[in-house]
């Protein structure tokens, strides 16, 4: 075998070239890898064989998600923050307008009975006690009242609280004394009763209170029961949340709230009552933000005014201020311990602890509240035990008379809409001082109840007789009472405003006033004889007198007081329709007046309110003063916003109105309304006119004293005959309430610009004062009759005309 050489052999040239190529290839590979690395920074990473992206990519994507989430969360908190601040710093609640009756002015000599003052005091929410010491209480001993009045902010002054003694004898105020000083009080105003509210669409009602006005016992007790850590936490109570979470986990659903007062406020003020984790999340975050911006007292005050505490029909009772009146018929500051504890008890569930449906539940809860307050040393154990032994004391229905005067409120709303938007009336918390006189309204309602039922039974109308009444102050046009239905609480069709019916003979004073302005006088002779008028369609109309007779030539005053139709039509045709329409418009009638003869006898449709406007001008001595229901409007903070002063415009001369008033006064003595002499006090002089329409379908009476005007309508909604004339129906109702109220006689003074003579109203001649058929009448200078007549029999009429 050949022997191997010990010397190494060198590689062949081929092999040497191969090694060099490998080195060169390795260098190229390294360069390519370097290029790929640079390119990879610009291109997305490719998925691996398993389909997953490299970790470097996931980190970049996560950062984007985190940034997006942070922006969303910031936007969410910004949205919550803006919403909270806008609502909490702006107008927090849509506050209904509060409407007050007129205040009762008391002074020595005022005509007022013990019963009337007692009712007024109760309407204003005063509580009867054995000895009046605290605000809002009164005692009555015989005919002497002792009371502690409430402070009250009027538009023109602030009435301080006073301890008063008021003595009444024989139907009038005999003395008013200050019980502290013993000094006599010249005049005082008893704060007005609330007669209504104008609610927003959601019917939430509340009476705002300031924290300093709330009894400390209530705020401390509320915190002890609902959120003991209120002044320590920042909107959330971790321990309470932990307890609630554990209870929810054990139950497998949301069963316990663990909410702070701040959270409860957020839920009621900003959120719905829906139970969900999202709502709880919003609630917690909003509570934190609320506490960040506002101090504890602001939050507590808002809570006291926002919390839901009961339901009164459609009206939701919110806040302790209104709840105090609703459950106990007294202001919050006047509550006793047992009542404060009851309101705190209601917070946990006004429906479950309903005071009127579940009193035993509420009583048990109230006593628990008292026990906890004692343990927290808010009250003593003795006070808690004493209060726990007492009944709830919740009134069956509060004495608050809001909502009892729907017809008047309807008229007032219509008038307010001329100056205020609907949202102003329902959301701004306005304080509206109206003209309604509750005492007079009561007399109207009682009189209507008496006579409607009596006439219903007499005529067999089976409850179909309806009525409307408008009563106003002759000096300023203030509407003092209004009735739109036989049921005064009915809030539907308002007949006083919307029942447009033929007015019959109520229109005749306008015809005769027109004649006086055209140069006629009360003794001018006119013809009461038959006549037939032809219409454009060849129809014929022949008016007849109520008694079916013609009376020949009669004085103008007699044609008016006896309501002769034939004489009125003849006179009106001679004057012209335009002259009479002008007189009606100057009297205050707004409607267009038809130019046909039957208009002269009342074939004109007017509402009782329209008629009142017309007669108001006569009662106000020729000065036209629009009827009004509002005296002034204050803002929620007491600032005067608008006053409604009396606006007057002289429409007729004093001389013409004096002649007309004397004639209408004669209507009540020897004319169609002479039955009033049996129904009214002998010294009460009035003026008025009856009205009766065809087939006795409508019964009217409009009359006025020296201080009050009232218009009464009786009829049926189906326009069927009543069988009642003006004197047989409306007049009797009118007399019933007018004799009850404090009204002054019509002043029958003599104008120096007129001459006065005794006239025989049967023939229009001068007569002796002691004759039977005479009237004392005014005349323009030189126009009184010159011929004298012997005494003649008056030929009295049927009382029921």
């Amino acid at each position: 075998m050949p022997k191997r050489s010990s010397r190494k052999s060198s590689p062949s040239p081929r092999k040497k070239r191969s090694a060099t190529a490998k080195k060169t290839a390795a260098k190229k590979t390294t360069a390519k890898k370097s290029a790929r690395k640079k390119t990879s920074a610009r291109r997305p990473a490719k998925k691996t064989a398993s389909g997953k992206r490299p970790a470097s990519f996931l980190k970049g994507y996560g950062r984007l998600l985190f940034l997006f989430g942070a922006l969303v969360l910031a936007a969410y908190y910004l949205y919550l923050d803006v919403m909270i601040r806008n609502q909490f710093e702006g107008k927090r609640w849509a506050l209904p307008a509060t409407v007050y009756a007129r205040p009762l002015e008391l002074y020595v000599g005022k005509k007022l009975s013990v019963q009337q003052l007692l009712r007024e005091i109760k309407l204003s929410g005063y509580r009867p006690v054995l000895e009046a010491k605290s605000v809002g209480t009164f005692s009555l001993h015989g005919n002497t009242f002792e009371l502690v009045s409430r402070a009250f902010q009027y538009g023109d002054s602030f009435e301080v609280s006073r301890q008063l003694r008021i003595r009444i004898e024989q139907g009038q105020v005999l003395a008013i004394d200050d019980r502290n000083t013993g000094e006599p009080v010249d005049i005082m105003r008893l704060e007005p009763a609330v007669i209504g509210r104008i609610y927003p669409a959601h019917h939430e009602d509340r009476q705002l209170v300031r924290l300093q006005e709330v009894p400390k016992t209530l705020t401390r007790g509320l915190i002890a029961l609902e959120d003991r850590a209120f002044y320590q936490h920042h909107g959330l109570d971790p321990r309470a949340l932990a307890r609630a979470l554990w209870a929810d986990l054990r139950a497998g659903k949301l069963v316990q709230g663990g909410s702070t007062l701040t959270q409860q406020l957020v839920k009621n003020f900003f959120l719905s009552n829906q139970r969900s984790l999202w709502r709880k999340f919003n609630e917690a975050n909003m509570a934190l933000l609320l506490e960040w911006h506002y101090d504890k007292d602001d939050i507590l005050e808002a809570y006291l005014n926002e919390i839901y505490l009961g339901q009164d029909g459609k009206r939701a009772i919110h806040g302790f201020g209104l709840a105090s009146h609703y459950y106990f018929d007294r202001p919050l500051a006047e509550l006793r311990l047992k009542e404060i504890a009851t309101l705190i008890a209601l917070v946990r569930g006004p429906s479950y602890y309903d005071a009127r449906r579940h009193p035993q539940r509420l009583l048990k809860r109230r006593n628990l509240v008292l026990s906890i307050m004692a343990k927290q040393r808010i009250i003593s154990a003795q006070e808690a035990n004493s209060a726990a032994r007492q009944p709830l004391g919740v009134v069956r229905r509060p004495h608050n008379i809001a909502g009892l005067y729907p017809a008047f409120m309807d008229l007032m709303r219509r008038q307010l809409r001329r100056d205020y938007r609907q949202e102003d009336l329902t959301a701004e918390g306005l304080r509206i001082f109206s003209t309604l006189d509750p005492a007079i309204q009561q007399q109207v309602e009682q009189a209507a109840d008496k006579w409607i039922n009596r006439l219903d039974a007499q005529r067999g109308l089976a409850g179909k007789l309806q009525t409307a009444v408008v009563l106003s102050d002759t000096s300023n046009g203030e509407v003092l009472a209004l009735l739109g239905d036989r049921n005064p609480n009915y809030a539907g069709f308002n007949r006083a405003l919307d029942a447009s019916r033929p007015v019959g003979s109520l229109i005749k004073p306008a015809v005769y006033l027109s004649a006086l302005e055209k140069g006629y006088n009360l003794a001018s002779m006119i013809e009461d004889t038959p006549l037939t008028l032809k219409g454009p369609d060849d129809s014929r109309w022949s008016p007849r007198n109520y008694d079916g007779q013609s009376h020949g030539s009669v004085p103008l005053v007699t044609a008016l007081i006896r309501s002769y139709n034939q004489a009125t039509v003849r006179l009106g045709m001679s004057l012209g329709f335009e002259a009479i329409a002008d007189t009606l418009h100057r009297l205050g009638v707004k409607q267009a007046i038809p130019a046909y003869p039957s208009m002269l006898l009342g074939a004109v449709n007017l509402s009782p309110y329209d008629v009142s406007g017309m007669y108001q001008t006569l009662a106000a001595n020729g000065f036209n003063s629009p009827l009004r229901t509002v005296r002034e409007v204050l803002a929620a903070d007491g600032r005067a916003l608008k006053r409604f002063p009396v606006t007057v415009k002289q429409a007729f001369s004093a001389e013409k109105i004096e002649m007309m008033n004397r004639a209408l006064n004669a209507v009540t003595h020897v004319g169609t309304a002479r039955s009033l002499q049996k129904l009214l006090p002998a010294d009460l002089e009035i003026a008025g006119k009856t009205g009766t329409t065809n087939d006795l379908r409508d019964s009217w009476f409009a009359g006025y004293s020296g201080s009050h005007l009232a218009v009464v309508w009786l009829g049926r909604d189906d326009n069927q005959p009543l069988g009642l004339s003006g004197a047989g129906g409306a007049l009797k109702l009118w007399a019933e309430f007018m004799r009850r109220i404090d009204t002054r006689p019509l002043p029958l003074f003599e104008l120096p610009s007129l001459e006065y003579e005794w006239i025989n109203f049967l023939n229009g001649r001068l007569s002796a004062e002691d004759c039977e058929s005479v009237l004392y009448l005014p005349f323009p200078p030189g126009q009184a009759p010159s011929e004298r007549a012997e005494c003649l029999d008056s030929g009295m009429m049927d009382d029921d005309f």
Side-chain angles (χ1 to χ4, degrees):
M1 186 171 81
K3 190 176 180 179
R4 289 184 179 181
S5 174
S6 60
R7 186 180 169 185
K8 292 183 179 179
S9 60
S10 61
S12 66
R14 183 177 179 181
K15 288 182 178 179
K16 192 173 182 179
R17 286 193 300 267
S18 176
T20 303
K22 286 181 179 179
K23 289 181 179 179
T24 303
K27 288 180 180 180
K28 288 181 179 179
T29 300
T30 303
K32 287 179 180 179
K33 287 182 178 179
S34 176
R36 280 198 299 270
K37 286 182 180 178
K38 290 179 181 179
T39 306
S40 67
R42 299 191 297 269
R43 294 179 183 176
K46 294 182 179 180
K47 292 183 180 180
T48 63
S50 63
K52 295 182 180 179
R53 296 185 186 275
S56 59
F57 168 78
L58 293 178
K59 288 181 180 179
Y61 191 67
R63 284 194 295 268
L64 288 174
L65 285 176
F66 176 79
L67 181 60
F68 178 74
L71 289 173
V72 170
L73 190 63
Y76 164 75
Y77 272 100
L78 180 61
Y79 166 74
L80 291 184
D81 190 71
V82 170
M83 181 176 69
I84 287 171
R85 297 181 69 178
N86 283 347
Q87 292 192 40
F88 209 76
E89 292 178 7
K91 185 179 63 181
R92 294 183 184 176
W93 296 282
L95 296 176
T98 301
V99 184
Y100 297 91
R102 61 90 186 96
L104 176 64
E105 290 190 346
L106 295 176
Y107 51 87
V108 174
K110 179 179 177 63
K111 185 178 179 182
L112 189 71
S113 69
V114 170
Q115 288 302 316
Q116 286 172 333
L117 181 55
L118 181 62
R119 183 175 186 273
E120 288 276 348
I121 288 173
K122 288 183 175 181
L123 285 178
S124 294
Y126 282 76
R127 305 187 313 278
V129 293
L130 292 177
E131 187 176 357
K133 292 182 178 179
S134 58
V135 172
T137 61
F138 78 95
S139 60
L140 175 60
H141 306 285
N143 60 353
T144 300
F145 288 84
E146 290 187 350
L147 64 85
V148 184
S149 68
R150 298 190 183 99
F152 193 84
Q153 177 66 60
Y154 295 94
D156 58 355
S157 65
F158 180 77
E159 194 85 22
V160 299
S161 173
R162 291 195 283 185
Q163 295 197 19
L164 298 166
R165 182 177 293 106
I166 305 166
R167 189 150 54 97
I168 295 177
E169 286 190 7
Q170 298 180 350
Q172 70 176 17
V173 178
L174 188 66
I176 306 174
D177 300 314
D178 188 307
R179 291 161 58 198
N180 286 331
T181 65
E183 295 293 322
V185 176
D186 295 329
I187 188 171
M188 69 154 291
R189 286 187 291 187
L190 187 68
E191 74 270 18
V194 174
I195 63 168
R197 296 182 188 274
I198 304 177
Y199 298 106
H202 50 65
H203 279 83
E204 284 187 7
D205 194 8
R206 55 175 51 80
Q207 182 173 313
L208 294 186
V209 293
R210 298 186 182 279
L211 185 59
Q212 58 266 31
E213 300 169 349
V214 180
K216 294 296 183 184
T217 308
L218 192 155
T219 54
R220 295 180 64 194
L222 181 66
I223 291 170
L225 267 293
E226 297 296 322
D227 187 2
R228 294 181 190 176
F230 176 70
Y231 282 104
Q232 285 75 48
H233 63 64
H234 299 288
L236 302 178
D237 185 348
R239 288 181 297 179
L241 287 173
R243 288 193 303 269
L245 179 61
W246 175 244
D248 292 345
L249 290 173
R250 291 177 62 187
K253 58 181 180 179
L254 293 173
V255 295
Q256 187 171 321
S259 298
T260 63
L261 285 181
T262 311
Q263 287 176 275
Q264 292 181 43
L265 174 61
V266 166
K267 180 182 68 174
N268 283 276
F269 196 79
F270 300 102
L271 303 173
S272 68
N273 288 323
Q274 179 185 3
R275 282 181 173 270
S276 68
L277 290 175
W278 175 246
R279 197 220 66 184
K280 293 294 292 183
F281 179 72
N282 280 333
E283 178 187 297
N285 284 294
M286 294 174 80
L288 292 171
L289 288 170
L290 196 64
E291 293 260 0
W292 175 265
H293 288 298
Y294 306 102
D295 63 36
K296 291 288 187 179
D297 284 351
D298 279 343
I299 293 170
L300 181 58
E301 183 177 276
Y303 181 92
L304 292 167
N305 286 298
E306 171 61 26
I307 188 68
Y308 171 71
L309 290 170
Q311 194 73 29
D312 180 24
K314 291 183 178 180
R315 182 175 68 141
I317 306 298
H318 283 261
F320 286 91
L322 182 61
S324 176
H325 287 278
Y326 179 65
Y327 291 108
F328 303 110
D329 201 25
R330 65 185 65 179
L332 189 60
E334 298 177 17
L335 293 187
R336 295 163 289 188
L337 175 59
K338 67 168 187 174
E339 295 154 348
I340 288 173
T342 300
L343 292 185
I344 296 173
L346 285 166
V347 171
R348 189 57 60 93
S351 298
Y352 184 79
Y353 295 108
D354 187 285
R356 297 178 178 93
R357 290 188 298 151
H358 307 296
Q360 290 306 312
R361 288 181 190 173
L362 181 58
L363 184 65
K364 184 177 179 180
R365 175 70 183 168
R366 183 206 68 177
N367 290 346
L368 176 62
V369 170
L370 289 168
S371 175
I372 293 174
M373 291 173 70
K375 289 179 181 177
Q376 294 293 312
R377 297 185 178 181
I378 298 169
I379 57 176
S380 67
Q382 182 180 358
E383 288 175 318
N385 292 332
S386 175
R389 288 193 297 269
Q390 298 177 37
L392 286 173
V394 173
V395 296
R396 189 173 63 87
R397 292 296 299 172
H399 284 106
N400 192 327
I401 57 177
L404 295 184
Y405 306 115
F408 180 89
M409 290 291 293
D410 181 20
L411 172 59
M412 190 200 67
R413 284 192 192 95
R414 298 188 197 192
Q415 294 188 349
L416 282 171
R417 288 188 192 121
R418 302 170 190 167
D419 300 284
Y420 293 93
R421 300 173 303 168
Q422 182 64 17
E423 52 265 37
D424 294 332
L425 297 175
T426 59
E428 298 297 334
L430 301 180
R431 301 173 65 208
I432 301 169
F433 290 84
S434 79
T435 61
L436 181 83
D437 188 317
I440 292 180
Q441 178 75 28
Q442 181 192 35
Q443 299 300 340
V444 169
E445 291 177 4
Q446 291 179 349
D449 181 67
K450 172 182 175 179
W451 278 100
I452 293 295
N453 290 327
R454 180 180 296 183
L455 293 171
D456 230 356
Q458 289 176 355
R459 300 291 171 173
L461 296 175
K464 295 182 179 180
L465 180 59
Q466 272 294 351
T467 189
V469 179
V470 182
L471 192 149
S472 60
D473 187 320
T474 59
S475 66
N476 52 28
E478 290 185 346
V479 178
L480 306 178
L482 196 75
L483 200 62
D485 189 275
R486 63 184 293 166
N487 175 8
N489 297 327
Y490 178 66
F493 183 61
N494 191 342
R495 292 163 187 82
L497 309 182
D498 301 322
S500 188
R501 305 289 289 246
V503 297
S505 295
L506 291 189
I507 207 168
K508 288 177 179 174
V511 177
Y512 289 88
L513 182 56
S514 300
L516 294 175
E517 290 202 310
K518 292 291 186 179
Y520 288 78
N521 63 60
L522 295 177
S524 297
M525 304 302 291
I526 58 177
E527 295 299 315
D528 181 57
T529 54
L531 73 162
T532 298
L533 300 175
K534 185 178 180 180
D537 58 352
D538 290 333
S539 62
R540 295 178 180 275
W541 180 57
S542 301
R544 296 287 183 268
N545 289 330
Y546 183 83
D547 61 4
Q549 300 178 15
S550 298
H551 305 91
S553 184
V554 297
L556 183 142
V557 67
T558 304
L560 174 59
I561 66 177
R562 295 285 176 91
S563 205
Y564 291 157
N565 290 337
Q566 293 173 162
T568 302
V569 172
R570 285 188 177 277
L571 178 62
M573 295 295 290
S574 67
L575 296 170
F577 296 125
E578 289 185 1
I580 296 166
D582 176 67
T583 298
L584 285 166
H585 290 146
R586 288 157 60 202
L587 284 169
V589 175
K590 306 296 184 183
Q591 292 89 328
I593 306 300
Y596 45 74
S598 60
M599 172 271 287
L600 301 169
L601 300 183
V604 176
N605 288 354
L606 300 176
S607 70
Y609 182 77
D610 296 330
V611 174
S612 292
M614 169 184 167
Y615 275 78
Q616 177 71 25
T617 304
L618 295 174
N621 296 313
F623 288 90
N624 186 277
S625 180
L627 298 180
R628 62 192 184 117
T629 57
V630 181
R631 290 182 175 180
E632 62 182 337
V633 176
L634 305 185
D637 60 6
R639 289 179 295 110
L641 295 180
K642 185 175 179 62
R643 287 189 171 87
F644 293 79
V646 180
T647 58
V648 295
K649 177 183 178 182
Q650 186 167 7
F652 300 92
S653 70
E655 289 77 13
K656 298 302 184 289
I657 294 299
E658 165 66 359
M659 287 188 275
M660 182 53 57
N661 282 344
R662 290 280 181 162
L664 293 177
N665 174 246
V667 171
T668 69
H669 284 274
V670 294
T672 57
R674 63 188 297 269
S675 60
L676 283 174
Q677 298 303 309
K678 302 175 183 177
L679 302 174
L680 296 176
D683 60 346
L684 182 57
E685 291 289 348
I686 63 164
K689 186 72 186 74
T690 56
T692 309
T693 60
N694 289 343
D695 301 322
L696 303 179
R697 298 175 189 272
D698 301 274
S699 172
W700 291 89
F701 185 73
Y704 48 94
S705 67
S707 53
H708 297 99
L709 159 70
V711 173
V712 175
W713 168 83
L714 295 177
R716 289 177 54 161
D717 289 338
D718 59 10
N719 201 32
Q720 293 300 305
L722 286 177
L724 291 170
S725 66
L731 178 145
K732 294 180 178 179
L733 170 53
W734 188 97
E736 183 68 31
F737 61 73
M738 285 296 286
R739 69 181 179 83
R740 300 183 183 191
I741 68 174
D742 182 12
T743 191
R744 297 190 301 273
L746 182 73
L748 297 176
F749 53 82
E750 298 183 16
L751 292 181
S753 55
L754 295 175
E755 296 176 354
Y756 290 78
E757 298 287 353
W758 288 96
I759 303 295
N760 185 299
F761 62 80
L762 297 180
N763 55 28
R765 298 177 182 177
L766 296 175
S767 185
E769 179 181 349
D770 56 355
C771 289
E772 184 178 352
S773 50
V774 295
L775 294 170
Y776 193 61
L777 300 176
F779 295 90
Q783 290 191 23
S786 56
E787 296 185 36
R788 188 168 292 276
E790 299 294 331
C791 289
L792 297 174
D793 180 65
S794 63
M796 288 298 180
M797 308 165 61
D798 182 356
D799 285 353
D800 196 37
F801 178 72

